Amino acid sequence: MDQYPSGHPYTVAVDCIIFGFDGERLKLLLIKRGFEPEKGKWSLMGGFVKPKESLDHAAKRVLHRLTGLEGVYLEQLKAFGMPKRDPRERTISVSYFALIGIHKYHKQVSSSYDSEWFPVTDFPKLIFDHQKMVNLARSRLRYKASLHPILFELLPEKFTMPQLQMLYEDFYLTTFDKRNFSRKILSTNLLIKQKDKDKSSSKRGAFYYKLNKEKYKENFHAFLKFIPNPEHLI
Amino acid sequence: MDQYPSGHPYTVAVDCIIFGFDGERLKLLLIKRGFEPEKGKWSLMGGFVKPKESLDHAAKRVLHRLTGLEGVYLEQLKAFGMPKRDPRERTISVSYFALIGIHKYHKQVSSSYDSEWFPVTDFPKLIFDHQKMVNLARSRLRYKASLHPILFELLPEKFTMPQLQMLYEDFYLTTFDKRNFSRKILSTNLLIKQKDKDKSSSKRGAFYYKLNKEKYKENFHAFLKFIPNPEHLI
């Protein structure tokens, strides 16, 4: 610690970058600010940290209060603290990203707040440094998703191969060859083919798959080939 | 943001987890507190964030003021914000980890502060939640080091295979078979064998190696096999 008797007081907030997948597109949940400054502009969901709660608790509380959601994947991303990021006063914001299955929560989400899901490739300008937070969350998530099958958090219990491919393509802003994609994904042994088909998007239909949850757990760190028992390290 | 007109004011600090490698052991730089509370106890190096500086700047400043070091590898780890982590007042601490070549900086480091390098496997009890910060930094670093050749930040320009092996063994708290280790590391094509030997630790001596910095850059993301051009994503 410094020699100061104490530090300067700042406001501390949390902001949540909320990703969802509606079966076709990767989306971002934003709210319209109902107060100044920047009234009427789009923003991430956030809130101030209360005196008796932890940062994680504040993020959970904000997410729950604004969306009705509980038990979702939520991870601290980074603390943002540029001196003039918030024009009102010096505010440190600890950002979190959340992965939500839109299919499950859609109704609760839009009820009480002026919120809207936007495609991650096309959403309005955001206030403060929220655009930077979204960019960083997308990078971090791309990074994690290339190592861990984390994107399954976004999918419903049953999903099709074309849906999974659309999710990955939206995520990495690229296109994959259909057969290669399917072959690579199936080679992970993470999916269990179901007997029924989704016929909503084509006559022929597409088989449903489910995630093999045991394999998911088992293979989560399988890429760490060099280090023995990497699962004990993380 | 919440409907509150403003948040509660808290103190914001940074704490640095500083790793170094002395050629034999992985070490952690700690300071002895010269003031209350917890006077005389061991602590990470930290300081309060000043009104006109960013969090990154505060971490750099603290690191520089206490060690004389500049241009070292420094990365934000996580914001710690449990309500009673600091008994004096509610303090949010943003932790950073740094990787230092002890060989280069040793003299500056210990001059003005009561600081000491401890083996990461055997260091004194730390104040507040600093032990948690160290644990998380070690996890994060193990994780990164199993994917990226990041540990080279800790090595001098020229190093031997036994040194590299000692570093990895201390890092992962394990032992590697000498020939396997050497074979795996060399298969990355990251090292350039030198003509001279280090004869300080054995008669026969051990060849020096240097890092191939081009390959280092090139291969940094080589493990991301599934995603095309992953280097553009991070």
Side-chain angles (χ1 to χ4, degrees), chain A residues 142-173:
Chain A
R142 280 188 196 121
Y143 187 76
K144 281 202 94 149
S146 67
L147 302 174
H148 305 300
I150 197 178
L151 295 189
F152 290 98
E153 299 283 343
L154 292 161
L155 289 163
E157 204 191 349
K158 278 164 60 173
F159 49 86
T160 66
M161 195 58 75
Q163 281 183 329
L164 192 59
Q165 183 166 347
M166 280 189 278
L167 173 59
Y168 270 87
E169 289 185 347
D170 239 19
F171 221 76
Y172 290 102
L173 300 178

Side-chain angles (χ1 to χ4, degrees), chain A residues 2 4 6 50 65 143 148, chain B residues 2 4 50 65 143 148:
Chain A
D2 276 359
Y4 315 172
S6 178
K50 292 187 174 174
R65 196 165 58 79
Y143 187 76
H148 305 300
Chain B
D2 276 0
Y4 314 172
K50 292 187 173 174
R65 196 166 57 79
Y143 187 75
H148 305 301

Side-chain angles (χ1 to χ4, degrees), chain A residues 160-162 164-165 176-189 191 193 209, chain B residues 226:
Chain A
T160 66
M161 195 58 75
L164 192 59
Q165 183 166 347
F176 295 102
D177 174 74
K178 201 173 146 185
R179 267 190 301 181
N180 273 345
F181 181 84
S182 169
R183 189 176 48 78
K184 282 191 182 173
I185 286 283
L186 291 174
S187 75
T188 62
N189 289 321
L191 303 191
K193 197 171 181 174
Y209 288 86
Chain B
F226 183 60

